[in-house]
């Protein structure tokens, strides 16, 4: 049910992949201004991830997820009425802050309801729901944006509201059932407090490497749609369908590939392969921009995502303890949220001054180095788990 709620919410989340195109095509922002606004999404994501981790440990994941879904929905309807750079930046910051308090709470809920031996599969199921929603959302978004960009914001509002209603109906009673158990856990935590993630230096180094990976990987949301539009000369609907295809591939392959990886490889090896494949998928974009080649590159990027993101969450869960899961998940969320600050501005800057080829080569080089460092750090960090 957590995954179904995520599926509904993400099916309506189609603004972000088209936000850069919306600002440059519809609002006529420059690439630099569009990058600045998208960076405010990242700033809000950092604040929301920290706040979500803190509030989850304080109030519980049920209330934080509910508040996040219901409070973020109305902001989607307001955004089209304020088309200036300054107001777009403020509203995007506010929306991402509220929306991203959801992520640490959702991760804690997964660790709460999943069996320990199924933890990675549980994260994978949740990600599969995200990607299935992301296969529906952008495909529908490409069609709707061809009619009017305003439809994107209305559907986002509906998706968040429906997800919030279903979540409250299903988990309200279950949260009460777990309340007594939570009190017992809290009493135990008072006696034996968990370590703060901000003093766990190996984990902070790991989180930094996750940030480096995310800065390169999440060009998927920002510069790749611009590459498709400006270099490959694809229509908005075709861009939407390729992005939607990525979600479909992940839904199709994630659970089998995760199961195979768990049976045959250790987590450091899986993360090494996932990060390296992400770099190769971007390097491929130098050698062609026809649709079959773009689909092949996107397929490899999807496999990279399957072998990187769920296991990065698993490493965080293994490193945390009962009393600090929200804080650890919050730090992990912050690590990824920083990429939403840096990636849009850095990506558009590199493209404006040096071109897309330089961006793809640089991304490959950084990801190849990151793969090596992540392998070494994770191997030492969870060697006894």
């Amino acid at each position: 049910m957590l995954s179904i709620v995520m599926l509904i919410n993400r099916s309506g989340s189609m603004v972000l992949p088209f936000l850069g195109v919306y600002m440059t095509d519809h609002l006529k922002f420059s690439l630099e201004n569009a990058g600045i606004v998208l960076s405010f999404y990242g700033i809000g994501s950092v604040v929301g991830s920290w706040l979500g981790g803190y509030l989850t440990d304080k109030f519980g994941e049920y209330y934080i997820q509910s508040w996040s879904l219901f409070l973020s929905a109305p902001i989607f309807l307001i955004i089209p009425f304020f088309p200036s750079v300054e107001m777009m930046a403020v509203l995007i910051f506010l929306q991402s802050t509220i929306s991203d308090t959801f992520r640490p709470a959702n991760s804690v809920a997964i660790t709460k309801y999943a069996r320990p031996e199924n933890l990675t599969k549980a994260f994978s199921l949740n990600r599969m729901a995200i990607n299935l929603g992301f296969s529906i959302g952008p495909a529908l978004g490409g069609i709707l944006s061809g009619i009017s960009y305003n439809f994107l914001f209305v559907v986002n509002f509906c998706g968040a509201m429906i997800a919030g209603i279903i979540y409250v109906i299903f988990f309200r009673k279950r949260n009460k059932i777990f309340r007594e158990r939570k009190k017992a856990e809290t009493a135990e935590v008072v006696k034996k407090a968990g370590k703060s993630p901000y003093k766990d230096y190996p984990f902070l180094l790991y989180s930094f490497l996750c940030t480096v990976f995310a800065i390169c990987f999440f060009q998927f949301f920002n510069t790749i749609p611009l590459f498709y539009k400006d270099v490959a000369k694809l229509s908005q609907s075709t861009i939407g369908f390729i992005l939607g295809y990525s979600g479909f591939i992940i839904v199709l392959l994630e659970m089998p590939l995760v199961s195979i990886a768990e049976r045959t490889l250790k987590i450091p090896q899986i993360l090494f392969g996932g990060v390296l494949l992400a770099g190769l998928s971007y390097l491929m974009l130098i050698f062609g921009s026809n649709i079959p080649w773009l689909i092949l590159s996107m397929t490899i990027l999807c496999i990279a995502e399957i072998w990187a993101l769920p296991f990065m969450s698993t490493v965080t869960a293994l490193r945390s303890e009962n009393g600090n899961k929200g804080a650890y998940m919050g730090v992990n969320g912050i690590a990824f949220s920083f990429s939403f600050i840096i990636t849009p501005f850095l990506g558009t800057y590199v493209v404006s001054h040096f071109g897309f080829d330089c961006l793809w080569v640089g991304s490959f080089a950084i990801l190849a180095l990151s793969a090596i460092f992540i392998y070494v750090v994770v191997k030492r960090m969870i060697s006894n788990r």
Side-chain angles (χ1 to χ4, degrees), residues 34-345:
I36 290 171
V37 173
L38 290 171
S39 293
F40 272 87
Y41 180 92
I43 296 171
S45 184
V46 169
V47 174
S49 295
W50 171 81
L51 190 63
Y54 171 77
L55 294 176
T56 297
D57 285 337
K58 193 172 181 64
F59 297 107
E61 87 291 337
Y62 170 79
Y63 295 105
I64 304 309
Q65 289 184 89
S66 304
W67 295 343
S68 175
L69 290 169
F70 287 124
L71 291 177
S72 65
I75 301 175
F76 287 115
L77 297 180
I78 300 172
I79 292 174
F81 295 99
F82 296 93
S84 67
V85 174
E86 295 79 11
M87 284 306 299
M88 280 288 291
V90 170
L91 289 172
I92 292 300
F93 167 79
L94 183 61
Q95 197 279 329
S96 64
T97 298
I98 296 173
S99 293
D100 277 17
T101 59
F102 180 87
R103 291 197 298 166
N106 182 257
S107 296
V108 170
I110 292 171
T111 64
K112 172 180 171 179
Y113 289 106
R115 296 177 180 178
E117 64 272 19
N118 291 332
L119 188 59
T120 299
K121 290 185 176 70
F123 281 117
S124 295
L125 180 65
N126 193 259
R127 286 206 52 79
M128 191 169 72
I130 292 172
N131 285 287
L132 179 57
F134 198 75
S135 68
I136 297 170
L140 182 60
I143 297 171
L144 293 177
S145 65
I147 303 170
S148 172
Y149 282 105
N150 291 335
F151 283 120
L152 298 179
F153 300 101
V154 173
V155 174
N156 270 258
F157 165 80
C158 294
M161 288 298 295
I162 294 171
I165 291 168
I166 292 177
Y167 177 77
V168 169
I169 290 173
F170 188 84
F171 285 99
R172 181 174 55 187
K173 290 183 179 180
R174 284 163 176 80
N175 182 63
K176 291 179 181 179
I177 293 171
F178 274 85
R179 189 172 294 172
E180 291 302 320
R181 184 185 300 179
K182 181 66 176 177
K183 288 180 181 178
E185 289 177 358
T186 302
E188 183 181 345
V189 170
V190 171
K191 296 177 183 178
K192 184 181 179 182
K195 178 189 287 189
S196 167
Y198 299 99
K199 295 180 180 179
D200 187 346
Y201 299 114
F203 178 72
L204 291 178
L205 175 58
Y206 166 74
S207 297
F208 170 76
L209 292 171
C210 288
T211 300
V212 174
F213 165 77
I215 288 170
C216 297
F217 175 78
F218 284 119
Q219 293 175 106
F220 177 82
F221 290 114
N222 302 297
T223 49
I224 279 190
L226 294 174
F227 175 81
Y228 288 167
K229 177 175 175 287
D230 296 337
V231 177
K233 306 298 182 183
L234 303 183
S235 67
Q236 288 170 211
S237 60
T238 305
I239 294 172
F241 281 119
I242 291 180
L243 297 179
Y245 162 82
S246 70
F248 172 77
I249 286 295
I250 289 175
V251 169
L252 189 66
L253 298 180
E254 177 144 4
M255 297 303 285
L257 288 180
V258 166
S259 296
I260 292 169
E262 283 189 318
R263 289 197 305 267
T264 58
L265 299 170
K266 296 181 179 180
I267 289 179
Q269 297 170 329
I270 299 167
L271 289 175
F272 174 83
V275 174
L276 185 62
L277 281 177
L280 290 173
S281 71
Y282 286 127
L283 187 65
M284 288 176 62
L285 297 177
I286 295 176
F287 302 104
S289 59
N290 59 74
I291 291 179
W293 188 253
L294 296 179
I295 290 175
L296 178 60
S297 171
M298 183 60 71
T299 302
I300 294 174
L301 186 62
C302 291
I303 297 172
E305 180 179 346
I306 290 169
W307 280 346
L309 296 185
F311 288 95
M312 286 179 175
S313 297
T314 301
V315 169
T316 303
L318 289 174
R319 192 71 176 179
S320 65
E321 299 169 359
N322 283 337
N324 57 15
K325 287 187 182 294
Y328 266 83
M329 292 300 179
V331 171
N332 187 248
I334 289 170
F336 283 90
S337 297
F338 269 121
S339 69
F340 289 112
I341 302 174
I342 300 169
T343 303
F345 177 77

Side-chain angles (χ1 to χ4, degrees), residues 219 223-224 227 282 285-286 356-364:
Q219 293 175 106
T223 49
I224 279 190
F227 175 81
Y282 286 127
L285 297 177
I286 295 176
F356 279 105
D357 283 358
C358 180
L359 180 66
W360 305 142
V361 171
S363 297
F364 168 74

